[in-house]
Amino acid sequence: VAIIMDGNGRWAARRHLPRVEGHRAGIDAVRDAVETSARMGIRVLTLYAFSMENWKRPRAEVSTLMTLLKRYLRLELDTLLRNGIRFRVIGRPDALAPDVRDELARAVERTSGNTGMQFNIALNYGGRAEIVDAARRLIESGVAAADVDERRLADCLYTAGQPDPDLLIRTSGEMRISNFLLWQIAYAEIWVTDTLWPDFRC
């Protein structure tokens, strides 16, 4: 299952609250999605947390998002470990601040031995960028052009070795995929709900 988490800002606006309050409320929906998915036996859950385009948002909002991410990891790491959930980052995390990368690396390392659900968080992610990065890896590996096929390219994606999503969920009613998992969702069912992300529960 893959989820485009959308609607935090609108959730806050409808309540006459600052946008940051929508992001804070969205953390509860993340917690519920992860824990419920693990209980349901879902093999892989991928959440779209921060796109490459999100850097265009106000600096204070971006800073708040990163602070909330670090807080989530610190508070939820024990839960991930207790439920056997493996945590992984997909995207281009090198562009993130060092303290954020450190927190992410710690969570990845601590959960690396878990054998339950794979929980991917897409950070500084873009679907087109992922395909470009995969093509670069193929070129760097020395694969001849005549030998390039779908399997070899898929093996160079951020999600290499993982099954493609069967279901893509988008909250807030927007009818678009926002450059998310462009390769992987080729055959996925797509479900769009008008529910804003902070109100979404599995």
Side-chain angles (χ1 to χ4, degrees):
V1 175
I3 304 178
I4 300 173
M5 305 180 293
D6 192 20
N8 291 346
R10 273 167 284 176
W11 184 93
R14 289 179 184 179
R15 290 160 177 78
H16 307 288
L17 298 170
R19 284 179 63 87
V20 64
E21 296 305 322
H23 297 312
R24 286 198 177 102
I27 293 292
D28 291 334
V30 170
R31 183 180 299 112
D32 180 79
V34 172
E35 294 181 10
T36 302
S37 296
R39 283 197 303 271
M40 292 174 63
I42 291 172
R43 293 171 59 194
V44 181
L45 173 68
T46 303
L47 301 183
Y48 201 4
F50 191 85
S51 73
M52 297 177 76
E53 291 75 24
N54 285 155
W55 292 111
K56 298 174 185 175
R57 293 184 178 191
R59 183 175 297 181
E61 183 177 352
V62 171
S63 177
T64 296
L65 284 167
M66 295 303 161
T67 298
L68 289 171
L69 171 63
K70 291 189 295 182
R71 184 170 179 267
Y72 170 83
L73 292 171
R74 290 175 191 148
L75 292 175
E76 298 300 315
L77 183 56
D78 285 344
T79 300
L80 298 180
L81 291 168
R82 189 166 55 250
N83 289 285
I85 298 169
R86 289 168 298 173
F87 177 76
R88 185 173 171 193
V89 181
I90 63 171
R92 293 178 174 174
D94 289 349
L96 303 174
D99 59 328
V100 177
R101 294 200 307 268
D102 289 346
E103 205 71 50
L104 291 167
R106 178 171 175 265
V108 169
E109 191 278 328
R110 289 284 306 279
T111 63
S112 62
N114 290 348
T115 58
M117 185 183 77
Q118 175 76 50
F119 169 30
N120 299 318
I121 187 165
L123 288 167
N124 194 33
Y125 176 90
R128 290 179 176 178
E130 178 178 20
I131 294 170
V132 168
D133 287 350
R136 286 175 176 160
R137 289 190 188 99
L138 272 177
I139 293 168
E140 291 166 0
S141 69
V143 174
D147 294 328
V148 173
D149 57 20
E150 290 187 13
R151 181 188 61 79
R152 281 192 169 91
L153 185 61
D155 286 344
C156 293
L157 295 172
Y158 303 148
T159 56
Q162 300 179 23
D164 290 339
D166 296 306
L167 174 66
L168 171 68
I169 298 169
R170 181 175 186 129
T171 60
S172 87
E174 296 288 337
M175 300 296 290
R176 54 195 171 92
I177 56 175
S178 297
N179 197 22
F180 185 45
L181 300 178
L182 299 180
W183 179 281
Q184 296 91 332
I185 64 169
Y187 295 101
E189 296 285 339
I190 298 176
W191 183 61
V192 177
T193 173
D194 290 332
T195 303
L196 302 177
W197 177 247
D199 293 328
F200 182 82
R201 293 298 181 270
C202 296

PDB file of all heavy atoms in Angstrom, residues 88 130-131 134-135 137-138 148-162 164 183-184:
ATOM      1  N   ARG A  88      12.620   2.389   6.439  1.00  0.00           N
ATOM      2  CA  ARG A  88      13.548   2.712   5.357  1.00  0.00           C
ATOM      3  C   ARG A  88      13.157   4.048   4.741  1.00  0.00           C
ATOM      4  O   ARG A  88      11.974   4.397   4.716  1.00  0.00           O
ATOM      5  CB  ARG A  88      13.513   1.616   4.301  1.00  0.00           C
ATOM      6  CG  ARG A  88      14.536   1.802   3.199  1.00  0.00           C
ATOM      7  CD  ARG A  88      14.559   0.603   2.290  1.00  0.00           C
ATOM      8  NE  ARG A  88      15.381   0.849   1.121  1.00  0.00           N
ATOM      9  CZ  ARG A  88      15.385   0.073   0.046  1.00  0.00           C
ATOM     10  NH1 ARG A  88      14.601  -0.988  -0.001  1.00  0.00           N
ATOM     11  NH2 ARG A  88      16.148   0.351  -0.978  1.00  0.00           N
ATOM     12  N   GLU A 130      13.661   9.492  -9.302  1.00  0.00           N
ATOM     13  CA  GLU A 130      13.979   8.100  -8.994  1.00  0.00           C
ATOM     14  C   GLU A 130      14.344   7.336 -10.258  1.00  0.00           C
ATOM     15  O   GLU A 130      15.313   6.557 -10.275  1.00  0.00           O
ATOM     16  CB  GLU A 130      12.797   7.417  -8.302  1.00  0.00           C
ATOM     17  CG  GLU A 130      13.060   5.951  -8.011  1.00  0.00           C
ATOM     18  CD  GLU A 130      11.921   5.267  -7.288  1.00  0.00           C
ATOM     19  OE1 GLU A 130      10.779   5.771  -7.332  1.00  0.00           O
ATOM     20  OE2 GLU A 130      12.182   4.215  -6.663  1.00  0.00           O
ATOM     21  N   ILE A 131      13.583   7.548 -11.335  1.00  0.00           N
ATOM     22  CA  ILE A 131      13.874   6.853 -12.590  1.00  0.00           C
ATOM     23  C   ILE A 131      15.205   7.333 -13.177  1.00  0.00           C
ATOM     24  O   ILE A 131      15.998   6.533 -13.697  1.00  0.00           O
ATOM     25  CB  ILE A 131      12.707   7.042 -13.578  1.00  0.00           C
ATOM     26  CG1 ILE A 131      11.446   6.340 -13.033  1.00  0.00           C
ATOM     27  CG2 ILE A 131      13.064   6.494 -14.955  1.00  0.00           C
ATOM     28  CD1 ILE A 131      10.167   6.649 -13.790  1.00  0.00           C
ATOM     29  N   ALA A 134      17.896   5.683 -11.201  1.00  0.00           N
ATOM     30  CA  ALA A 134      18.006   4.270 -11.588  1.00  0.00           C
ATOM     31  C   ALA A 134      18.772   4.136 -12.903  1.00  0.00           C
ATOM     32  O   ALA A 134      19.624   3.249 -13.052  1.00  0.00           O
ATOM     33  CB  ALA A 134      16.612   3.649 -11.714  1.00  0.00           C
ATOM     34  N   ALA A 135      18.479   5.020 -13.862  1.00  0.00           N
ATOM     35  CA  ALA A 135      19.189   4.972 -15.141  1.00  0.00           C
ATOM     36  C   ALA A 135      20.672   5.239 -14.942  1.00  0.00           C
ATOM     37  O   ALA A 135      21.526   4.581 -15.558  1.00  0.00           O
ATOM     38  CB  ALA A 135      18.587   5.991 -16.105  1.00  0.00           C
ATOM     39  N   ARG A 137      22.404   4.564 -12.263  1.00  0.00           N
ATOM     40  CA  ARG A 137      23.007   3.372 -11.650  1.00  0.00           C
ATOM     41  C   ARG A 137      23.268   2.293 -12.700  1.00  0.00           C
ATOM     42  O   ARG A 137      24.281   1.594 -12.646  1.00  0.00           O
ATOM     43  CB  ARG A 137      22.098   2.829 -10.552  1.00  0.00           C
ATOM     44  CG  ARG A 137      22.048   3.692  -9.309  1.00  0.00           C
ATOM     45  CD  ARG A 137      21.330   2.974  -8.160  1.00  0.00           C
ATOM     46  NE  ARG A 137      21.119   3.883  -7.053  1.00  0.00           N
ATOM     47  CZ  ARG A 137      19.971   4.517  -6.793  1.00  0.00           C
ATOM     48  NH1 ARG A 137      18.923   4.315  -7.565  1.00  0.00           N
ATOM     49  NH2 ARG A 137      19.874   5.330  -5.773  1.00  0.00           N
ATOM     50  N   LEU A 138      22.322   2.151 -13.628  1.00  0.00           N
ATOM     51  CA  LEU A 138      22.516   1.174 -14.702  1.00  0.00           C
ATOM     52  C   LEU A 138      23.747   1.517 -15.538  1.00  0.00           C
ATOM     53  O   LEU A 138      24.571   0.649 -15.844  1.00  0.00           O
ATOM     54  CB  LEU A 138      21.289   1.135 -15.607  1.00  0.00           C
ATOM     55  CG  LEU A 138      20.159   0.188 -15.223  1.00  0.00           C
ATOM     56  CD1 LEU A 138      18.998   0.344 -16.193  1.00  0.00           C
ATOM     57  CD2 LEU A 138      20.628  -1.254 -15.193  1.00  0.00           C
ATOM     58  N   VAL A 148      19.476  -3.631 -21.299  1.00  0.00           N
ATOM     59  CA  VAL A 148      18.580  -2.924 -20.374  1.00  0.00           C
ATOM     60  C   VAL A 148      17.155  -3.415 -20.588  1.00  0.00           C
ATOM     61  O   VAL A 148      16.647  -3.429 -21.701  1.00  0.00           O
ATOM     62  CB  VAL A 148      18.655  -1.397 -20.590  1.00  0.00           C
ATOM     63  CG1 VAL A 148      17.600  -0.697 -19.733  1.00  0.00           C
ATOM     64  CG2 VAL A 148      20.042  -0.880 -20.264  1.00  0.00           C
ATOM     65  N   ASP A 149      16.522  -3.861 -19.501  1.00  0.00           N
ATOM     66  CA  ASP A 149      15.118  -4.276 -19.555  1.00  0.00           C
ATOM     67  C   ASP A 149      14.423  -3.807 -18.290  1.00  0.00           C
ATOM     68  O   ASP A 149      15.041  -3.179 -17.415  1.00  0.00           O
ATOM     69  CB  ASP A 149      15.002  -5.796 -19.750  1.00  0.00           C
ATOM     70  CG  ASP A 149      15.723  -6.593 -18.668  1.00  0.00           C
ATOM     71  OD1 ASP A 149      15.996  -6.031 -17.575  1.00  0.00           O
ATOM     72  OD2 ASP A 149      16.008  -7.774 -18.891  1.00  0.00           O
ATOM     73  N   GLU A 150      13.136  -4.093 -18.171  1.00  0.00           N
ATOM     74  CA  GLU A 150      12.377  -3.617 -17.010  1.00  0.00           C
ATOM     75  C   GLU A 150      12.919  -4.171 -15.703  1.00  0.00           C
ATOM     76  O   GLU A 150      12.971  -3.463 -14.696  1.00  0.00           O
ATOM     77  CB  GLU A 150      10.896  -3.976 -17.171  1.00  0.00           C
ATOM     78  CG  GLU A 150      10.200  -3.182 -18.250  1.00  0.00           C
ATOM     79  CD  GLU A 150       8.704  -3.424 -18.267  1.00  0.00           C
ATOM     80  OE1 GLU A 150       8.172  -4.021 -17.299  1.00  0.00           O
ATOM     81  OE2 GLU A 150       8.054  -3.019 -19.250  1.00  0.00           O
ATOM     82  N   ARG A 151      13.314  -5.437 -15.697  1.00  0.00           N
ATOM     83  CA  ARG A 151      13.819  -6.041 -14.457  1.00  0.00           C
ATOM     84  C   ARG A 151      15.086  -5.343 -13.982  1.00  0.00           C
ATOM     85  O   ARG A 151      15.217  -5.025 -12.802  1.00  0.00           O
ATOM     86  CB  ARG A 151      14.091  -7.527 -14.662  1.00  0.00           C
ATOM     87  CG  ARG A 151      14.599  -8.231 -13.389  1.00  0.00           C
ATOM     88  CD  ARG A 151      15.044  -9.652 -13.670  1.00  0.00           C
ATOM     89  NE  ARG A 151      16.130  -9.712 -14.622  1.00  0.00           N
ATOM     90  CZ  ARG A 151      17.415  -9.458 -14.301  1.00  0.00           C
ATOM     91  NH1 ARG A 151      17.754  -9.098 -13.085  1.00  0.00           N
ATOM     92  NH2 ARG A 151      18.350  -9.553 -15.237  1.00  0.00           N
ATOM     93  N   ARG A 152      16.007  -5.103 -14.906  1.00  0.00           N
ATOM     94  CA  ARG A 152      17.260  -4.464 -14.515  1.00  0.00           C
ATOM     95  C   ARG A 152      17.020  -3.036 -14.015  1.00  0.00           C
ATOM     96  O   ARG A 152      17.645  -2.598 -13.050  1.00  0.00           O
ATOM     97  CB  ARG A 152      18.239  -4.456 -15.686  1.00  0.00           C
ATOM     98  CG  ARG A 152      18.937  -5.793 -15.899  1.00  0.00           C
ATOM     99  CD  ARG A 152      20.100  -5.654 -16.871  1.00  0.00           C
ATOM    100  NE  ARG A 152      20.912  -6.864 -16.876  1.00  0.00           N
ATOM    101  CZ  ARG A 152      20.712  -7.893 -17.697  1.00  0.00           C
ATOM    102  NH1 ARG A 152      19.709  -7.860 -18.550  1.00  0.00           N
ATOM    103  NH2 ARG A 152      21.499  -8.955 -17.648  1.00  0.00           N
ATOM    104  N   LEU A 153      16.116  -2.309 -14.669  1.00  0.00           N
ATOM    105  CA  LEU A 153      15.825  -0.954 -14.212  1.00  0.00           C
ATOM    106  C   LEU A 153      15.154  -0.983 -12.842  1.00  0.00           C
ATOM    107  O   LEU A 153      15.508  -0.211 -11.944  1.00  0.00           O
ATOM    108  CB  LEU A 153      14.945  -0.225 -15.223  1.00  0.00           C
ATOM    109  CG  LEU A 153      14.675   1.248 -14.902  1.00  0.00           C
ATOM    110  CD1 LEU A 153      15.968   2.047 -14.864  1.00  0.00           C
ATOM    111  CD2 LEU A 153      13.718   1.861 -15.910  1.00  0.00           C
ATOM    112  N   ALA A 154      14.200  -1.895 -12.660  1.00  0.00           N
ATOM    113  CA  ALA A 154      13.506  -2.002 -11.372  1.00  0.00           C
ATOM    114  C   ALA A 154      14.475  -2.321 -10.249  1.00  0.00           C
ATOM    115  O   ALA A 154      14.300  -1.872  -9.111  1.00  0.00           O
ATOM    116  CB  ALA A 154      12.409  -3.061 -11.450  1.00  0.00           C
ATOM    117  N   ASP A 155      15.519  -3.081 -10.558  1.00  0.00           N
ATOM    118  CA  ASP A 155      16.526  -3.437  -9.560  1.00  0.00           C
ATOM    119  C   ASP A 155      17.374  -2.246  -9.132  1.00  0.00           C
ATOM    120  O   ASP A 155      18.134  -2.344  -8.161  1.00  0.00           O
ATOM    121  CB  ASP A 155      17.446  -4.546 -10.084  1.00  0.00           C
ATOM    122  CG  ASP A 155      16.765  -5.909 -10.111  1.00  0.00           C
ATOM    123  OD1 ASP A 155      15.713  -6.062  -9.458  1.00  0.00           O
ATOM    124  OD2 ASP A 155      17.279  -6.815 -10.793  1.00  0.00           O
ATOM    125  N   CYS A 156      17.258  -1.141  -9.851  1.00  0.00           N
ATOM    126  CA  CYS A 156      18.017   0.064  -9.513  1.00  0.00           C
ATOM    127  C   CYS A 156      17.144   1.165  -8.903  1.00  0.00           C
ATOM    128  O   CYS A 156      17.636   2.249  -8.593  1.00  0.00           O
ATOM    129  CB  CYS A 156      18.728   0.599 -10.759  1.00  0.00           C
ATOM    130  SG  CYS A 156      20.035  -0.474 -11.390  1.00  0.00           S
ATOM    131  N   LEU A 157      15.852   0.898  -8.746  1.00  0.00           N
ATOM    132  CA  LEU A 157      14.963   1.874  -8.111  1.00  0.00           C
ATOM    133  C   LEU A 157      15.220   1.925  -6.608  1.00  0.00           C
ATOM    134  O   LEU A 157      15.829   1.026  -6.037  1.00  0.00           O
ATOM    135  CB  LEU A 157      13.502   1.510  -8.378  1.00  0.00           C
ATOM    136  CG  LEU A 157      13.036   1.571  -9.840  1.00  0.00           C
ATOM    137  CD1 LEU A 157      11.630   0.992  -9.958  1.00  0.00           C
ATOM    138  CD2 LEU A 157      13.078   3.002 -10.381  1.00  0.00           C
ATOM    139  N   TYR A 158      14.712   2.970  -5.964  1.00  0.00           N
ATOM    140  CA  TYR A 158      14.845   3.078  -4.504  1.00  0.00           C
ATOM    141  C   TYR A 158      14.181   1.891  -3.805  1.00  0.00           C
ATOM    142  O   TYR A 158      14.578   1.499  -2.710  1.00  0.00           O
ATOM    143  CB  TYR A 158      14.192   4.366  -3.986  1.00  0.00           C
ATOM    144  CG  TYR A 158      14.695   5.656  -4.578  1.00  0.00           C
ATOM    145  CD1 TYR A 158      13.831   6.742  -4.734  1.00  0.00           C
ATOM    146  CD2 TYR A 158      16.023   5.824  -4.974  1.00  0.00           C
ATOM    147  CE1 TYR A 158      14.265   7.948  -5.255  1.00  0.00           C
ATOM    148  CE2 TYR A 158      16.472   7.024  -5.507  1.00  0.00           C
ATOM    149  CZ  TYR A 158      15.582   8.087  -5.645  1.00  0.00           C
ATOM    150  OH  TYR A 158      16.016   9.278  -6.170  1.00  0.00           O
ATOM    151  N   THR A 159      13.141   1.335  -4.422  1.00  0.00           N
ATOM    152  CA  THR A 159      12.367   0.248  -3.808  1.00  0.00           C
ATOM    153  C   THR A 159      12.795  -1.126  -4.310  1.00  0.00           C
ATOM    154  O   THR A 159      12.030  -2.087  -4.221  1.00  0.00           O
ATOM    155  CB  THR A 159      10.868   0.440  -4.108  1.00  0.00           C
ATOM    156  OG1 THR A 159      10.684   0.522  -5.534  1.00  0.00           O
ATOM    157  CG2 THR A 159      10.328   1.706  -3.451  1.00  0.00           C
ATOM    158  N   ALA A 160      13.993  -1.239  -4.825  1.00  0.00           N
ATOM    159  CA  ALA A 160      14.479  -2.517  -5.361  1.00  0.00           C
ATOM    160  C   ALA A 160      14.286  -3.635  -4.349  1.00  0.00           C
ATOM    161  O   ALA A 160      14.557  -3.474  -3.156  1.00  0.00           O
ATOM    162  CB  ALA A 160      15.957  -2.404  -5.723  1.00  0.00           C
ATOM    163  N   GLY A 161      13.767  -4.771  -4.842  1.00  0.00           N
ATOM    164  CA  GLY A 161      13.550  -5.926  -3.983  1.00  0.00           C
ATOM    165  C   GLY A 161      12.208  -5.939  -3.281  1.00  0.00           C
ATOM    166  O   GLY A 161      11.866  -6.919  -2.616  1.00  0.00           O
ATOM    167  N   GLN A 162      11.445  -4.860  -3.412  1.00  0.00           N
ATOM    168  CA  GLN A 162      10.127  -4.788  -2.776  1.00  0.00           C
ATOM    169  C   GLN A 162       9.030  -4.981  -3.830  1.00  0.00           C
ATOM    170  O   GLN A 162       9.220  -4.607  -4.984  1.00  0.00           O
ATOM    171  CB  GLN A 162       9.927  -3.430  -2.097  1.00  0.00           C
ATOM    172  CG  GLN A 162      10.948  -3.114  -1.021  1.00  0.00           C
ATOM    173  CD  GLN A 162      10.703  -1.751  -0.396  1.00  0.00           C
ATOM    174  OE1 GLN A 162       9.595  -1.221  -0.432  1.00  0.00           O
ATOM    175  NE2 GLN A 162      11.734  -1.181   0.182  1.00  0.00           N
ATOM    176  N   ASP A 164       5.661  -4.144  -5.910  1.00  0.00           N
ATOM    177  CA  ASP A 164       4.981  -2.902  -6.279  1.00  0.00           C
ATOM    178  C   ASP A 164       3.684  -2.777  -5.478  1.00  0.00           C
ATOM    179  O   ASP A 164       3.067  -3.785  -5.117  1.00  0.00           O
ATOM    180  CB  ASP A 164       4.658  -2.898  -7.776  1.00  0.00           C
ATOM    181  CG  ASP A 164       5.905  -2.773  -8.640  1.00  0.00           C
ATOM    182  OD1 ASP A 164       6.944  -2.305  -8.129  1.00  0.00           O
ATOM    183  OD2 ASP A 164       5.827  -3.149  -9.829  1.00  0.00           O
ATOM    184  N   TRP A 183       6.917   4.582 -11.560  1.00  0.00           N
ATOM    185  CA  TRP A 183       7.187   3.255 -12.117  1.00  0.00           C
ATOM    186  C   TRP A 183       6.368   2.191 -11.384  1.00  0.00           C
ATOM    187  O   TRP A 183       5.738   1.328 -11.993  1.00  0.00           O
ATOM    188  CB  TRP A 183       8.681   2.949 -11.992  1.00  0.00           C
ATOM    189  CG  TRP A 183       9.098   1.605 -12.503  1.00  0.00           C
ATOM    190  CD1 TRP A 183       8.969   0.398 -11.871  1.00  0.00           C
ATOM    191  CD2 TRP A 183       9.705   1.313 -13.765  1.00  0.00           C
ATOM    192  NE1 TRP A 183       9.462  -0.618 -12.643  1.00  0.00           N
ATOM    193  CE2 TRP A 183       9.923  -0.082 -13.815  1.00  0.00           C
ATOM    194  CE3 TRP A 183      10.099   2.108 -14.854  1.00  0.00           C
ATOM    195  CZ2 TRP A 183      10.509  -0.699 -14.916  1.00  0.00           C
ATOM    196  CZ3 TRP A 183      10.688   1.490 -15.938  1.00  0.00           C
ATOM    197  CH2 TRP A 183      10.889   0.095 -15.971  1.00  0.00           C
ATOM    198  N   GLN A 184       6.356   2.258 -10.069  1.00  0.00           N
ATOM    199  CA  GLN A 184       5.810   1.180  -9.252  1.00  0.00           C
ATOM    200  C   GLN A 184       4.284   1.077  -9.309  1.00  0.00           C
ATOM    201  O   GLN A 184       3.733   0.000  -9.070  1.00  0.00           O
ATOM    202  CB  GLN A 184       6.260   1.356  -7.798  1.00  0.00           C
ATOM    203  CG  GLN A 184       7.762   1.254  -7.590  1.00  0.00           C
ATOM    204  CD  GLN A 184       8.476   2.595  -7.699  1.00  0.00           C
ATOM    205  OE1 GLN A 184       8.027   3.499  -8.402  1.00  0.00           O
ATOM    206  NE2 GLN A 184       9.593   2.731  -7.006  1.00  0.00           N
TER     207      GLN A 184
END
